[in-house]
Amino acid sequence: NKKNLDGNTAIHLAITSGNTDLVCFLIATAKPSMTIENTEGYTPLDLLQHALQYDLMHETDLTKSAPTVKSQTDSTSICSFKY
């Protein structure tokens, strides 16, 4: 959960890079906070939502470009585990 100068954590950077495998790895191993805001006020969850909206507008494959992080009560996620 350590931040860089822009307030981004590793999970912020992984999400913005579009690297689904890294996002899933970080969530599984580091258990990052998904509610920490960067200097622009965005949380990792905000960035995921933005990525999904972009995919919907451009009709791309949601499962390849933006991971979804669901609550423990939701059984759907791209990562093979629940957060």
Side-chain angles (χ1 to χ4, degrees), residues 11-83:
I11 194 70
H12 283 93
L13 297 173
I15 293 165
T16 57
S17 75
N19 189 333
T20 304
D21 291 336
L22 180 57
V23 171
C24 291
F25 174 79
L26 288 172
I27 292 171
T29 60
K31 304 290 186 202
S33 172
M34 299 301 284
T35 58
I36 292 175
E37 292 183 358
N38 63 16
T39 56
E40 294 180 345
Y42 294 109
T43 68
L45 290 176
D46 295 331
L47 297 175
L48 284 171
Q49 180 180 12
H50 180 272
L52 288 171
Q53 289 172 344
Y54 177 86
D55 283 345
L56 289 172
M57 288 178 8
H58 292 81
E59 297 180 12
T60 58
D61 185 351
L62 296 176
T63 62
K64 292 185 179 176
S65 58
T68 56
V69 179
K70 301 291 184 175
S71 71
Q72 292 180 354
T73 59
D74 190 330
S75 62
T76 59
S77 72
I78 290 171
C79 298
S80 60
F81 54 84
K82 298 177 190 171
Y83 180 70

